[in-house]
Amino acid sequence: MLPAFFAARLDDSTIVLKVLMAFVAFSLTASFIYIFNDWADREKDRRHPRKKNRPLASGAISVRAAFLIGCLLLLLSLPVAAMLKLNFLYILLLYIGINLAYSTWLKHLAIVDVTIIALGFLLRVFAGGIVAAVPISHWLIVMTFLLAMILGLSKRRSEFLLQQADIPTRPSLSGYNLAFIDQAMTLMTAVTIVAYLMYTLSEEVIGRIGSNQLYFTSFFVIIGILRYLQLSIVFERTDSPTKVLWTDRFLQVIILGWIAVFGWLLYGG
């Protein structure tokens, strides 16, 4: 959806339909990956205070049933991807391959683990660009990767706090400590804000959008990132980044404000 949004193509109903179909296909594929990951971690999850309630860890769903559901999800997603575009199918297959490697091996390697998470977000962006027939700008690639790194590091921070409370988490945490994670998040945050400011002030972007007021949206980005850091570092929220985004009203207002202002500049400014 992001490539079509930034390219001001969301007023094209054909593009919107294709992007929505791609979203569904990617979501089904991601669900298959989550099932595989839960299967791989089911023994360890049984010793975790929250993850023990997951369907496979708790025994609510059998391994056989989970396998059948996962296969069904792939049978639904891959044909849709092929119907939309073969290159989109290739992206999905690459996403599956990377995440299977992540679930079985790469998630145990510090830094590599969060990098794989960021690559997953990038593949989503590339998939959206392919389906919407929109070239992916270097700005979108850089900022997506940086934001995903912040989210990944924040997740590792919450897991590190749980580990300090003698709650089992993941082997890769042996390569992290709070000082490193906090400094890495600070670094990624600073680079993200600078990159976004450069994007809003770029003559290329100003000429394409037809407005030199895009920099106003940077206030939402800065405040939103500061709020996320506050939740993660000050309040030590140990929820997943997704849950934080779904439950924090402050962040939701900031994101909606950014969408409204950016959308107005793209489509109505």
Side-chain angles (χ1 to χ4, degrees), residues 139-183:
W139 294 111
L140 186 55
I141 293 172
V142 168
M143 287 185 289
T144 297
F145 182 80
L146 290 170
L147 283 171
M149 287 292 285
I150 294 172
L151 294 176
L153 288 166
S154 175
K155 186 175 181 181
R156 292 297 173 267
R157 192 181 196 281
S158 67
E159 291 169 343
F160 193 87
L161 292 175
L162 291 174
Q163 180 174 275
Q164 288 187 320
D166 294 326
I167 296 174
T169 50
R170 62 179 68 239
S172 68
L173 289 180
S174 61
Y176 294 105
N177 60 33
L178 281 183
F180 173 79
I181 296 174
D182 289 347
Q183 289 182 34

Side-chain angles (χ1 to χ4, degrees), residues 102-124:
Y102 171 84
S103 295
T104 55
W105 173 45
L106 297 178
K107 67 180 178 183
H108 303 311
L109 305 177
I111 300 179
V112 174
D113 56 346
V114 292
T115 303
I116 295 298
I117 292 174
L119 287 177
F121 281 92
L122 273 183
L123 288 177
R124 286 174 169 86

